Amino acid sequence: AVSMFLSLLPNMSNVVKGLVVGFIFTTATLPITNFRYRMSIQTPVNEALNPKLLYQAYPATVVRDMVYAIGRNVLTVLLLSKFTGLAPGSATLMFPVVIGACVLSAPFNEVRGFLLQSG
């Protein structure tokens, strides 16, 4: 939803859009993700609800999500300019864009995993 809203603002660069989307997405969803992770490793609920644990690995996660969002934005523009016959929402475009953004953000996912397991 945030990405769609920002796409309506043509004067904002793709990098800034990615930074905003990554920040909002991570800030809103990380507590849920970390709580589910804690439940999967059978952490007591009272401990899992600790704000420190809910936002554990926040910096690595927000950087990962920002890199992913920037990658999606930049790859979309790049592929649409190279292959003029592609439709903006087509699966033919979205598949390489999402795969590319995942590859670009993967190193930060490894850092996030390390921080979650070590803390």
Side-chain angles (χ1 to χ4, degrees), residues 83-106:
F83 304 100
T84 55
L86 287 176
S90 70
T92 307
L93 172 66
M94 294 310 298
F95 182 78
V97 165
V98 170
I99 295 297
C102 285
V103 169
L104 290 170
S105 65

Side-chain angles (χ1 to χ4, degrees), residues 11 24 30-31 36 40-41 45 50 60 70 74 77 82 84 88 90-92 97 105 112 115-116:
N11 295 332
I24 291 172
L30 187 63
R36 291 182 64 209
S40 75
I41 60 171
V45 173
N50 178 341
I70 292 168
V74 169
V77 170
K82 286 271 192 201
T84 55
S90 70
T92 307
V97 165
S105 65
R112 170 184 155 67
L115 292 173
L116 282 174

Side-chain angles (χ1 to χ4, degrees), residues 34-48 53:
N34 281 351
F35 179 77
R36 291 182 64 209
Y37 167 70
R38 292 288 169 194
M39 292 294 93
S40 75
I41 60 171
Q42 300 177 348
T43 303
V45 173
N46 289 341
E47 186 180 335
L53 292 180

Side-chain angles (χ1 to χ4, degrees), residues 7-107:
S7 70
L8 301 174
L9 303 173
N11 295 332
M12 189 180 289
S13 78
N14 286 321
V15 172
V16 173
K17 287 179 188 177
L19 294 173
V20 171
V21 168
F23 175 77
I24 291 172
F25 179 80
T26 303
T27 304
T29 63
L30 187 63
I32 298 162
T33 305
N34 281 351
F35 179 77
R36 291 182 64 209
Y37 167 70
R38 292 288 169 194
M39 292 294 93
S40 75
I41 60 171
Q42 300 177 348
T43 303
V45 173
N46 289 341
E47 186 180 335
L49 289 173
N50 178 341
K52 183 177 178 182
L53 292 180
L54 291 176
Y55 280 96
Q56 185 179 7
Y58 180 79
T61 308
V62 79
V63 169
R64 177 201 66 188
D65 290 347
M66 287 176 172
V67 168
Y68 176 82
I70 292 168
R72 272 190 72 158
N73 291 339
V74 169
L75 289 171
T76 298
V77 170
L78 181 78
L79 290 176
L80 283 173
S81 68
K82 286 271 192 201
F83 304 100
T84 55
L86 287 176
S90 70
T92 307
L93 172 66
M94 294 310 298
F95 182 78
V97 165
V98 170
I99 295 297
C102 285
V103 169
L104 290 170
S105 65

